[in-house]
Amino acid sequence: MRTFITLGLIVTALFGGLVSVHADDAPAPAEPTATAQGVSIAAGFAKLWHETGIYRFIHPKTLEEKEAERLAATLKTAEAEINAGHAEAGLKLIDMAENLGAPAPSVEALRAQYRDEMAHGADSQGGLLPEGAAQLVMILVGLGLVYLAIAKKFEPLLLLPIGFGAILTNIPVAGIANGPIPGQPGGFLYYFYTVGVETGVFPLLIFMGVGAMTDFGPLLANPRTAILGAAAQFGIFLALLGALALTQWTDGLVNFSMRDAASIGIIGGADGPTAIFLASRLSPNLLGAIAVAAYSYMALVPIIQPPIMRLLTTREERAIEMKQLRHVTKTEKIVFPFMVLLICILLLPSAAPLIGMLMLGNLMKESAVVDRLSDTAQNSLINIVTILLGLAVGSKLAADKFLNANTLGILALGLIAFCIGTACGILLAKLMNRFSKDQINPLIGSAGVSAVPMAARVSNKVGLEANPQNFLLMHAMGPNVAGVIGSAVAAGVLLALVGY
């Protein structure tokens, strides 16, 4: 776990020093982070240090810091609500920010953005197509997602409700995903999103269910594989840089802020709940595209990864057989969640929501004293939440918000991030073999992305093609589950750096 956190801090700080990011034309009031001024190595380390539990145990936030944080969060949330099409909710937050003492220029800039949204939102011409045609296209996109879920079995548990949610959202007049207006309540999908996704509750509950279904034994039996899980997160930070570079190269056609870039980069972790959790906090207006990209690439693991694995390895490397894993005791499995959570509390509290729920679910499983709770988390609860989460994500696939140049950029960058994460895991495994007596099959490095357990199965399948006696599944589960922790840590680093 120390490897995950150290690697995340170093990579983020270094990338921050290399990139200078300027604010968009959209207002960025009371921005305490580097979004407007650029990030330096020193500033990145300083901000991360001030966000550690060690620092905050000794130096609790002052009243002034809490008030400034609340004001900044209110202003940025107001901007996000307006960008997401929830203009009335944004207006209420603007009034709240004004009452909290926000600077007059910041308030007026947001009111101008609200007026612009009301004027242009009425004719829904923000996308690439006219309103009716765009809605029809998005309904077809929804049908396409449903087809992939049913016919191709690509991540059906989420693609099916997401696709159906997209269909419901784009039905003319129905207003199923619209926010409330004076005298009328909002559509039911709006409340699914507001209650479950905007608050972060649904992704956290899913993480608890994932924890209850996860066996960290392979990781504990071979701790070296944790490094492979960390290496696979490089795609996140490289995609972040790519999003910022794309904004500069396209001269405004594609426009991503630092917060948008961070949300896009997390797609490279191939962890849907983490992507949703981070995007809902940093860029809720991009949530639909980010969620669809994350789950689509998770579903396409068997198609995307094998060519990269074969390109970067020789047949002899793919045929490497690994020693049988040692037995992991029950005590080790029970202590592990507490150790991970303790390190998270001390070094990266911003990742504690995701890490905490993941470890709670795993503790319920490994303790074997709350079987009913563990069974509920693994089955009933996670199934219910998956349905609601899928529909809520589908509600963000409204035509005027999805069919634009930014969405195309997100899909391309997400694919690049996923491919880079896969390649980094493989290449690091090959590098480790140069300094290790016990050889690692490089194929298990590709499982460092968080698509559990599909990525591990793909590693095993490609290994069997090279050597029918080569069973890599349990070995690949080590970096696979490490990748889940690694993506949560990466999300925590990004929240600490560019969050409110």
Side-chain angles (χ1 to χ4, degrees):
M1 186 60 191
R2 290 189 182 92
T3 303
F4 293 138
I5 296 176
T6 302
L7 185 62
L9 297 180
I10 292 174
V11 171
T12 305
L14 289 176
F15 282 170
L18 294 173
V19 181
S20 176
V21 186
H22 298 282
D24 316 333
D25 293 334
E31 183 87 29
T33 63
T35 308
Q37 302 299 327
V39 185
S40 67
I41 293 176
F45 271 117
K47 182 167 175 56
L48 287 171
W49 167 243
H50 290 160
E51 294 298 326
T52 63
I54 296 173
Y55 181 85
R56 285 306 177 187
F57 279 134
I58 301 172
H59 304 284
K61 289 184 179 178
T62 64
L63 180 61
E64 291 75 15
E65 286 179 316
K66 292 178 180 178
E67 290 177 346
E69 187 178 74
R70 182 183 179 190
L71 177 58
T74 302
L75 287 166
K76 294 305 285 184
T77 305
E79 182 182 0
E81 289 283 9
I82 294 171
N83 287 336
H86 306 154
E88 294 299 327
L91 182 60
K92 292 179 181 178
L93 289 168
I94 294 172
D95 293 337
M96 183 185 299
E98 190 172 24
N99 293 334
L100 290 173
S106 298
V107 173
E108 182 52 40
L110 282 174
R111 291 193 185 280
Q113 188 176 350
Y114 165 78
R115 290 191 292 269
D116 184 67
E117 172 66 23
M118 293 299 290
H120 294 287
D123 57 18
S124 298
Q125 294 299 311
L128 298 173
L129 297 173
E131 181 177 1
Q135 288 175 316
L136 181 60
V137 168
M138 288 309 301
I139 288 175
L140 294 176
V141 169
L143 290 171
L145 294 176
V146 172
Y147 170 79
L148 292 176
I150 296 174
K152 302 297 183 181
K153 295 182 172 57
F154 286 172
E155 205 67 36
L157 294 179
L158 268 157
L159 286 191
L160 193 149
I162 288 175
F164 203 82
I167 295 171
L168 294 176
T169 298
N170 289 282
I171 297 175
V173 183
I176 293 174
N178 291 350
I181 59 176
Q184 292 185 3
F188 72 89
L189 290 186
Y190 168 81
Y191 293 108
F192 282 5
Y193 173 81
T194 302
V195 173
V197 177
E198 197 171 78
T199 62
V201 170
F202 287 170
L204 293 177
L205 289 177
I206 285 185
F207 245 60
M208 182 173 67
V210 170
M213 294 187 290
T214 299
D215 180 9
F216 287 105
L219 175 61
L220 293 171
N222 190 0
R224 292 187 303 163
T225 58
I227 303 175
L228 301 178
Q233 310 312 313
F234 269 100
I236 293 174
F237 299 99
L238 292 176
L240 185 155
L241 289 179
L244 298 176
L246 193 61
T247 298
Q248 296 179 349
W249 294 341
T250 58
D251 195 25
L253 178 63
V254 175
N255 191 11
F256 297 126
S257 68
M258 174 67 92
R259 299 162 69 87
D260 295 337
S263 301
I264 294 167
I266 204 68
I267 297 172
D271 191 336
T274 301
I276 292 171
F277 179 84
L278 189 66
S280 65
R281 277 158 172 70
L282 298 183
S283 302
N285 54 308
L286 301 180
L287 177 65
I290 289 171
V292 169
Y295 281 110
S296 296
Y297 297 140
M298 285 174 62
L300 294 173
V301 162
I303 297 175
I304 296 173
Q305 285 196 323
I308 300 173
M309 298 160 75
R310 297 187 184 101
L311 177 66
L312 298 178
T313 59
T314 64
R315 186 175 183 85
E316 290 73 23
E317 288 174 327
R318 294 195 294 273
I320 293 175
E321 295 186 28
M322 298 180 65
K323 294 181 179 179
Q324 184 175 353
L325 295 172
R326 71 172 179 84
H327 172 70
V328 178
T329 66
K330 180 178 179 180
T331 301
E332 289 178 283
K333 291 185 176 182
I334 291 177
V335 170
F336 180 74
F338 290 105
M339 292 301 298
V340 172
L341 185 59
L342 176 62
I343 296 172
C344 179
I345 291 170
L346 293 177
L347 297 182
L348 200 61
S350 55
L354 290 167
I355 295 293
M357 293 303 284
L358 181 69
M359 294 302 136
L360 172 60
N362 188 249
L363 181 63
M364 290 192 298
K365 171 182 180 290
E366 300 298 349
S367 66
V369 294
V370 286
D371 290 341
R372 288 169 55 191
L373 299 183
S374 178
D375 180 69
T376 298
Q378 295 181 47
N379 297 288
S380 303
L381 181 60
I382 197 171
N383 289 337
I384 292 171
V385 174
T386 297
I387 295 171
L388 298 179
L389 177 65
L391 289 171
V393 170
S395 74
K396 306 309 293 180
L397 300 184
D400 59 327
K401 301 298 180 184
F402 192 85
L403 289 178
N404 52 54
N406 281 357
T407 299
L408 298 178
I410 289 169
L411 295 174
L413 288 167
L415 178 59
I416 293 171
F418 185 77
C419 292
I420 291 174
T422 299
C424 285
I426 295 171
L427 293 175
L428 183 60
K430 295 179 68 170
L431 179 63
M432 290 171 64
N433 280 342
R434 293 184 176 272
F435 304 96
S436 175
K437 181 179 179 181
D438 296 327
Q439 295 290 286
I440 296 175
N441 190 309
L443 295 177
I444 72 170
S446 66
V449 297
S450 305
V452 180
M454 192 180 298
R457 291 174 179 166
V458 171
S459 297
N460 185 65
K461 180 181 178 182
V462 177
L464 286 172
E465 292 173 358
N467 180 357
Q469 304 303 317
N470 199 7
F471 298 98
L472 298 174
L473 182 60
M474 293 309 297
H475 297 284
M477 284 303 298
N480 206 189
V481 298
V484 177
I485 299 175
S487 64
V489 169
V493 170
L494 295 173
L495 273 176
L497 278 176
V498 302
Y500 297 128

